[in-house]
Amino acid sequence: MRSSSYTAESTMNALHRKITILGVGNVLLKDEGVGVFMAQRFERKYVFPDYVEIVDGGTLGLSLLSVVTQTERLLVFDAVKNRGTPGDTYLLEYEDLPFHIRAKNSLHQTDLMETLTLAGLVGERPETVVVGVEPLDIEPWGIGLTPPVRESIERLERLALDQLGRWGIFPETKTEENRGEGRICFPFGDEEAC
């Protein structure tokens, strides 16, 4: 059940730009799964207006093209190798991404860039911001985040909330009264659930 403020806002959704919060990464490669972890955390913790969608993109890469082209603003959570110290956090706009992603090792990160590039070629690349963290360990195989990445979670959350605030989104923290059903979206799943 949504809060009354967002219920009232939902009648004006046509006036708002669709925003997608996308978590990408492979949860079997330790810190590389931080994007998916953050998307799930936001889904569990916050109530968003109807025009904000949270998507668990996992390692779908180019298969996310329809997700990317059907939103007007895109906030991506991801692990970012930027030659920093593990746990360093970043807020990168699309124009900053190629330089930072050149140093990446994982397949899905290249696919994210290709997906955004293809979206641009068809004239439908959304305003994009990546909220990322320098990973310590992305070697196979393992589940869970390393200590420096776990310690960065609140900073990642703050960066994302500040960016959403710049886009006019100020989510409420979920309580027992407004918890409702989860609505994290999985591409190619039941669209009625999103």
Side-chain angles (χ1 to χ4, degrees), residues 182-194:
R183 60 182 186 106
I184 194 166
C185 299
F186 298 94
F188 316 114
D190 179 4
E191 294 192 9
E192 293 298 318
C194 296

Side-chain angles (χ1 to χ4, degrees), residues 77-150:
F77 283 117
D78 197 4
V80 176
K81 290 187 77 173
N82 193 32
R83 300 183 183 132
T85 301
D88 285 353
T89 53
Y90 307 106
L91 180 75
L92 305 170
E93 295 184 5
Y94 175 78
E95 293 73 20
D96 300 324
L97 291 178
F99 172 79
H100 294 282
I101 287 183
R102 277 199 299 256
K104 290 188 163 189
N105 294 329
S106 69
L107 183 60
H108 87 268
Q109 292 160 343
T110 301
D111 287 345
L112 175 63
M113 282 307 298
E114 290 175 351
T115 303
L116 291 170
T117 299
L118 284 174
L121 289 174
V122 298
E124 296 185 18
R125 184 178 57 238
E127 179 180 351
T128 302
V129 171
V130 174
V131 177
V133 60
E134 188 85 28
L136 173 65
D137 187 356
I138 58 171
E139 297 298 318
W141 304 99
I143 296 175
L145 306 175
T146 61
V149 172
R150 277 199 310 269

Side-chain angles (χ1 to χ4, degrees), residues 21-62:
I21 299 171
L22 174 65
V24 295
N26 188 334
V27 296
L28 299 177
L29 300 179
K30 303 169 195 158
D31 291 339
E32 196 182 87
V34 68
V36 172
F37 174 86
M38 289 302 298
Q40 292 173 348
R41 178 181 173 95
F42 268 51
E43 192 282 328
R44 284 192 312 268
K45 191 169 180 180
Y46 295 107
V47 177
F48 289 96
D50 291 339
Y51 53 90
V52 177
E53 182 176 79
I54 301 175
V55 177
D56 177 350
T59 57
L60 291 175
L62 288 173

